[in-house]
Amino acid sequence: MNTRKYIIKAIVLVFSSILMMACTDLDEELYDRVTSENFIQTRDDVYRTFLRTFEHGYWTVQGDQYILQELSADQMMTPNRQGDWFDGGTYIRAHKHEWTPEDAYVNNAWGNLYTGIVQATNSMEDIAALDPTKFGMNEAEQMQLLAELKTMRAWYYLRLFDFYRNIEIITAVKGETKGKPQSTPQETFSFIETELKDALPDLLSKGDPGTAAFDGRWTKAGAMALLARLYLNAQVYIGEDKYAECAQICQDLINGVYGEYGIEERWDAPFDYNNDDSKETIFAFPGTFGRSHWQYTEGMYWWMAPYNVDKYFGFSEFGGSNPRFSMQPGKDVDNVEYSFNLGKPFVKFQKYPDDIRIKKYKNIGHSTREGMFLMGYLTYNDNQDTVKSSRGYNLYIRDQVGHFEDLKPGQELADKESNMNHADQNSGIYPVKYPFYPDESPNKIESDYVEIRMAEAYYMLAECKFRNGNLSEASTLLNEVRGRYYPQGSESLYALDGSELTEQELLDEWGREFLAEGRRRTDLIRFGKFTTGNWWDKEPDNSTHLRIFPLGRNVLNVNPQLVQNPGYN
């Protein structure tokens, strides 16, 4: 069955509104007049039930969850652009670690992820109660679906655990009448670990019969990659070193124990329109122009570009873009590099000037592109016109923040102020990881969203080797991925003796490889920099409670059993 075309968004929307509050108030009827007994009549109905949490899960990669992971860290920003995107200071609070239980993204991320958990759990209960023979299925297929749902639910829990740490574990929804008290971090860690291990035997490996059209489905490799993520961050989560366990899983992934995967030779292949067939893709959410494409919407990459970028891309199907997210600056208004070590993402790319990603993003025909950044002047109509801001000045996008407006490159700006409350539409370079091909391209907005790719296994293993003192092997592993970004024989590749690999360089390399992919906060915390480091317009706060977010006021009001996280009122 080609499940790529089977994810039915309408079904998700019908149920998600009903289930939204189910994580804390289970008195409501889950289906009103539609029950599992009268809804599931055919084998196709079983798969519809199975898939509804997948579409919701795809939706949760953007929006509030993205804000928590990226805007609280040192690479991305949403500054006040002359009145645009001030929004009551909500994004400034995220940047400065001054969020409150009233902030929408704090409340919404909890509810959004628990909605997916309730959907997955309800589907598990429905499918487990079926006699598979009545639906043209055997028991092995039934168990496989349950294992995938268990893995999907673990993915939600892992993210909730990372954000809030003290969360409630829900494993049943039918007949439940109230929410659960919070579990300890150790209990939650053990629960996620056990769920993934329990799911493993019933999951398929890449290449097994029936996986040829398995796009958007969980396999053994996907589940084990999630377990590796859990182990990689175990020191933060529960105060225990699990790097050896993480390393073993990553080595198994690289060795093909769970299927044959690899690293793409072309730098943009993991993100291109045909990445569903990429050897690097371990788990991805299917995306198409006519169906779901959540990473391409305003909660993520489409609002990571200037207002009039459609003219430059030649892509007008979404209307205008919006500079909601851009990269934090590496230089002050006088074009002098800042002295702090963190942040400065574009400067970190420029450290290796032969990196082919540093080019300006440009569509070059036949569904191909070059470069990964929107910067400088963006011209169109055979270079006769220049993309303008919404205020009318020609844009010159720069690795700086200030009120530049029509200032030409190389000219001095009299106004030296540069902070989150003082930016214009020239401020901050934009990354373009997923291509925006022109209207006439048959492959526009066709990229799947890659949640797990093999590069992560190499980087996790490299970090485990590094922390164990084996810098040479760590450098070799990183070069296996980095080699695609530089010419053959480039001096930008790490020395094989490991002499160039420091802790700061390793953190910088995580930032280059996974720029804007919604994980930066987690990496900073693991390296001990999130509350102790400083970056642009951000001083150290030295408050360990800020490593997790507060429970939102609305969340606490719904479930009186929940207790606010330490350090928050």
Side-chain angles (χ1 to χ4, degrees):
M1 175 176 293
N2 188 343
T3 57
R4 179 184 184 86
K5 300 300 183 184
Y6 225 113
I7 297 179
I8 308 296
K9 182 177 179 181
I11 293 175
V12 179
L13 294 177
V14 169
F15 290 109
S16 62
S17 61
I18 298 170
L19 296 170
M20 180 65 74
M21 299 307 297
C23 61
T24 51
D25 181 2
L26 300 174
D27 287 319
E28 298 181 58
E29 288 291 330
L30 292 178
Y31 293 100
D32 192 16
R33 298 175 185 174
V34 180
T35 68
S36 58
E37 288 76 17
N38 61 37
F39 175 70
I40 303 177
Q41 299 294 318
T42 67
R43 187 173 186 274
D44 286 350
D45 293 337
V46 175
Y47 273 87
R48 292 188 183 99
T49 298
F50 164 73
L51 287 168
R52 69 180 175 221
T53 190
F54 284 77
E55 172 66 13
H56 177 79
Y58 189 5
W59 174 79
T60 67
V61 302
Q62 53 83 55
D64 298 298
Q65 300 73 219
Y66 191 77
I67 290 170
L68 294 183
Q69 278 287 48
E70 292 291 354
L71 294 191
S72 66
D74 65 334
Q75 291 188 313
M76 304 301 295
M77 65 177 181
T78 301
N80 178 3
R81 299 182 185 274
Q82 298 172 294
D84 292 346
W85 288 111
F86 177 66
D87 289 14
T90 185
Y91 302 108
I92 294 175
R93 289 195 296 278
H95 182 87
K96 293 183 175 293
H97 296 184
E98 296 172 351
W99 45 76
T100 73
E102 282 72 33
D103 278 310
Y105 44 77
V106 169
N107 282 274
N108 294 344
W110 176 284
N112 294 341
L113 296 174
Y114 268 114
T115 295
I117 286 169
V118 170
Q119 289 177 338
T121 302
N122 192 78
S123 294
M124 288 172 69
E125 292 178 322
D126 285 346
I127 294 172
L130 298 176
D131 177 353
T133 61
K134 295 181 179 180
F135 298 90
M137 301 168 60
N138 56 35
E139 185 178 353
E141 185 176 4
Q142 181 186 36
M143 295 303 294
Q144 175 197 323
L145 296 183
L146 292 172
E148 289 191 60
L149 288 168
K150 185 173 287 191
T151 305
M152 188 71 176
R153 189 172 65 179
W155 175 68
Y156 288 122
Y157 272 122
L158 182 55
R159 296 158 71 204
L160 274 164
F161 188 43
D162 186 73
F163 285 152
Y164 301 101
R165 201 76 81 248
N166 302 296
I167 64 175
E168 49 182 322
I169 297 175
I170 295 171
T171 57
V173 294
K174 296 183 186 300
E176 300 293 317
T177 59
K178 63 180 181 179
K180 306 289 184 182
Q182 288 144 296
S183 298
T184 66
Q186 182 62 65
E187 288 170 339
T188 301
F189 185 97
S190 297
F191 170 76
I192 297 171
E193 179 184 38
T194 300
E195 288 282 279
L196 291 169
K197 287 182 176 180
D198 286 351
L200 187 65
D202 294 312
L203 293 170
L204 297 179
S205 293
K206 181 180 180 181
D208 285 350
T211 61
F214 220 54
D215 194 15
R217 300 276 298 275
W218 287 103
T219 60
K220 291 182 187 294
M224 295 307 287
L226 292 181
L227 188 56
R229 285 182 180 178
L230 182 70
Y231 288 149
L232 183 68
N233 294 286
Q235 190 71 55
V236 172
Y237 294 157
I238 57 172
E240 295 182 21
D241 181 334
K242 298 279 187 180
Y243 292 117
E245 291 87 340
C246 177
Q248 185 59 61
I249 292 172
C250 293
Q251 191 66 66
D252 287 343
L253 288 167
I254 292 170
N255 290 346
V257 172
Y258 305 111
E260 294 299 322
Y261 299 89
I263 298 299
E264 290 286 357
E265 293 79 18
R266 205 181 81 235
W267 76 268
D268 64 327
F271 313 105
D272 210 1
Y273 69 90
N274 55 357
N275 62 350
D276 53 317
D277 293 325
S278 169
K279 62 183 178 181
E280 192 164 330
T281 299
I282 293 179
F283 178 80
F285 290 104
T288 66
F289 175 69
R291 291 175 182 264
S292 298
H293 41 251
W294 290 111
Q295 83 273 25
Y296 276 114
T297 57
E298 64 271 12
M300 211 166 178
Y301 294 126
W302 183 234
W303 281 12
M304 201 179 293
Y307 284 109
N308 296 306
V309 77
D310 55 300
K311 297 179 176 64
Y312 180 72
F313 287 150
F315 176 76
S316 62
E317 300 283 355
F318 289 176
S321 183
N322 203 316
R324 185 185 193 185
F325 305 109
S326 67
M327 291 160 60
Q328 293 180 31
K331 298 179 180 180
D332 65 18
V333 295
D334 292 322
N335 208 34
V336 176
E337 182 182 337
Y338 289 113
S339 60
F340 43 77
N341 290 325
L342 295 174
K344 303 186 294 187
F346 193 65
V347 167
K348 300 296 176 64
F349 275 90
Q350 291 175 309
K351 180 178 179 179
Y352 303 104
D354 57 348
D355 189 332
I356 60 175
R357 294 171 294 181
I358 295 177
K359 291 182 180 180
K360 183 186 298 185
Y361 177 96
K362 182 181 180 182
N363 290 324
I364 55 178
H366 304 289
S367 299
T368 58
R369 51 93 171 246
E370 65 179 14
M372 201 177 82
F373 299 99
L374 294 175
M375 55 190 176
Y377 290 119
L378 304 179
T379 61
Y380 58 102
N381 286 345
D382 294 325
N383 297 324
Q384 297 180 66
D385 298 301
T386 301
V387 171
K388 297 181 181 294
S389 74
S390 63
R391 295 174 178 267
Y393 51 82
N394 286 335
L395 286 177
Y396 182 80
I397 302 167
R398 57 193 81 206
D399 191 24
Q400 301 162 275
V401 169
H403 282 188
F404 300 95
E405 297 197 351
D406 272 317
L407 190 77
K408 303 296 188 295
Q411 294 182 341
E412 183 176 354
L413 182 65
D415 179 359
K416 305 300 183 183
E417 186 175 357
S418 177
N419 54 54
M420 282 287 290
N421 206 32
H422 197 74
D424 71 354
Q425 293 174 36
N426 297 293
S427 300
I429 290 172
Y430 303 91
V432 187
K433 297 206 103 166
Y434 289 84
F436 286 91
Y437 292 132
D439 291 339
E440 63 272 15
S441 171
N443 301 308
K444 61 179 182 290
I445 318 300
E446 285 292 318
S447 301
D448 290 1
Y449 179 74
V450 184
E451 171 62 21
I452 306 173
R453 52 192 175 94
M454 268 301 289
E456 184 178 357
Y458 278 83
Y459 276 55
M460 287 192 288
L461 182 56
E463 183 175 329
C464 293
K465 297 285 187 182
F466 177 88
R467 293 184 183 278
N468 198 37
N470 197 333
L471 277 62
S472 176
E473 287 190 38
S475 297
T476 299
L477 285 161
L478 294 173
N479 283 344
E480 286 291 319
V481 180
R482 298 176 76 245
R484 63 187 173 196
Y485 304 127
Y486 311 107
Q488 187 172 5
S490 171
E491 294 183 357
S492 294
L493 293 175
Y494 294 136
L496 296 183
D497 62 3
S499 58
E500 297 173 311
L501 195 59
T502 64
E503 183 180 65
Q504 183 62 54
E505 178 61 24
L506 179 57
L507 179 58
D508 290 347
E509 183 54 33
W510 271 109
R512 280 185 289 264
E513 180 62 30
F514 295 95
L515 174 69
E517 291 189 41
R519 62 170 295 139
R520 185 60 176 175
R521 166 190 157 275
T522 300
D523 292 335
L524 285 178
I525 292 173
R526 191 174 64 258
F527 278 79
K529 305 294 187 183
F530 187 66
T531 59
T532 63
N534 69 290
W535 47 89
W536 173 76
D537 198 25
K538 172 67 176 64
E539 297 296 324
D541 27 63
N542 294 308
S543 299
T544 57
H545 77 278
L546 294 169
R547 296 191 304 176
I548 58 175
F549 293 103
L551 274 63
R553 193 71 64 203
N554 294 341
V555 173
L556 292 170
N557 289 340
V558 170
N559 185 357
Q561 297 188 79
L562 299 179
V563 178
Q564 183 59 276
N565 277 332
Y568 296 104
N569 297 320

